[in-house]
Amino acid sequence: FAVVAGEVKNLANQTATAAQQAATNAQQTANTAQSTAQSALETANSAADDAKSANEAASAASSKVDGAVADLEQRLAAVETANKRAATALAAANLKSAIDAGGPFAEQLETFATTAGAGEATESLRTFAADGVPSERQIAQQWPEVESAISAALSPPKPNAPVGDQFMAGLRSLVNVRSTDTPPAADQSDTAVVSRLDAAIRSGDLQGFVAEWDKLPDNAKQASADFADNVRARLTAQQIVSSTLQEAISGSEPASTDAPTTAEPANQG
């Protein structure tokens, strides 16, 4: 019995040892599996971080490309705008020169309309393009004769006046001698009115001339109607060209000209 008990004890010890070994092996296997899983997780996390970094780098590169493209487009647009503005300004300057010369300017007007695009001001200028409008120099040259006609209309010789008085009245209509100082607006004498008209023409104040001319009596207006029409045409053309040049150079909307009633240009032939 003692022998059998010893064998059973040995067998039990062997079984316990085997069980302990199996448990140890299982623990080692579990540890290995956990280590492998941890390593795999770390690898996966590293791969995810790499993918995120790569995506961020790609996004940054794409943003730089987009920014470069947008900057290039802006530069090209600025160059195109500058070129168009320069071409428009040149066409407008040529148009102004042609108008200032007092002759036809249809060709220059069409060039400007093609470059800048036809607008209200361009269409208004077509009224004068074929014949042109008198230049300020031409208006100044015409003025002495018109001035004499206005003076004669304002101070006609009396029908029953002595011949000498009538002769002197005629001379006064041909030779106008007046102070160099412009009379105030309150002075409505014939001499003062003509003096203000003369000062306006000499200074190039066409708007002032028209305003003063509108106050003349009908007989004086009739004596100078063609000249006044030329002044109005010149004034209208100047105001339109000035507004058009401003628009061409700045790209803004043209300012209101408040021009007087437009008159058909007189025949320049």
Side-chain angles (χ1 to χ4, degrees):
F1 177 80
V3 173
V4 172
E7 291 179 356
V8 169
K9 182 178 179 181
N10 290 335
L11 181 59
N13 288 336
Q14 291 175 0
T15 299
T17 299
Q20 182 64 38
Q21 184 64 45
T24 299
N25 292 339
Q27 183 63 45
Q28 291 176 349
T29 300
N31 290 341
T32 301
Q34 184 177 4
S35 178
T36 301
Q38 182 65 32
S39 178
L41 178 60
E42 291 175 354
T43 301
N45 288 337
S46 178
D49 290 341
D50 291 343
K52 181 179 180 181
S53 297
N55 185 57
E56 290 176 350
S59 297
S62 177
S63 297
K64 289 183 178 180
V65 171
D66 291 343
V69 171
D71 182 63
L72 178 60
E73 289 177 347
Q74 290 178 353
R75 290 175 182 272
L76 291 176
V79 170
E80 183 177 354
T81 299
N83 288 341
K84 182 176 181 180
R85 184 169 296 178
T88 301
L90 178 61
N94 289 337
L95 174 61
K96 183 178 185 302
S97 296
I99 291 177
D100 288 344
F105 53 89
E107 180 180 351
Q108 290 82 358
L109 179 61
E110 291 307 316
T111 299
F112 176 80
T114 301
T115 304
E120 182 178 351
T122 304
E123 293 305 314
S124 297
L125 285 173
R126 294 188 191 280
T127 304
F128 312 109
D131 296 324
V133 293
S135 66
E136 288 191 45
R137 180 178 179 181
Q138 291 170 332
I139 288 175
Q141 290 173 341
Q142 296 168 5
W143 169 242
E145 181 179 351
V146 176
E147 181 182 19
S148 297
I150 293 176
S151 296
L154 291 174
S155 303
K158 297 178 181 180
N160 298 325
V163 175
D165 291 347
Q166 296 186 35
F167 177 74
M168 292 303 297
L171 286 180
R172 282 194 296 271
S173 70
L174 296 175
V175 180
N176 296 285
V177 179
R178 63 178 63 88
S179 172
T180 56
D181 296 329
T182 302
D187 186 349
Q188 291 299 311
S189 65
D190 294 343
T191 301
V193 170
V194 175
S195 181
R196 284 194 294 271
L197 290 172
D198 178 70
I201 291 297
R202 291 180 181 277
S203 65
D205 181 13
L206 302 186
Q207 184 73 64
F209 175 88
V210 171
E212 191 69 38
W213 186 89
D214 285 338
K215 301 175 185 177
L216 291 175
D218 290 341
N219 62 333
K221 287 182 177 180
Q222 292 174 359
S224 57
D226 289 342
F227 180 81
D229 286 345
N230 284 341
V231 172
R232 282 195 173 93
R234 180 73 215 171
L235 178 60
T236 300
Q238 282 181 340
Q239 292 171 328
I240 292 173
V241 169
S242 176
S243 176
T244 303
L245 277 171
Q246 177 185 351
E247 180 185 13
I249 295 173
S250 67
S252 63
E253 290 298 321
S256 174
T257 58
D258 294 329
T261 304
T262 300
E264 292 293 333
N267 185 357
Q268 300 303 303

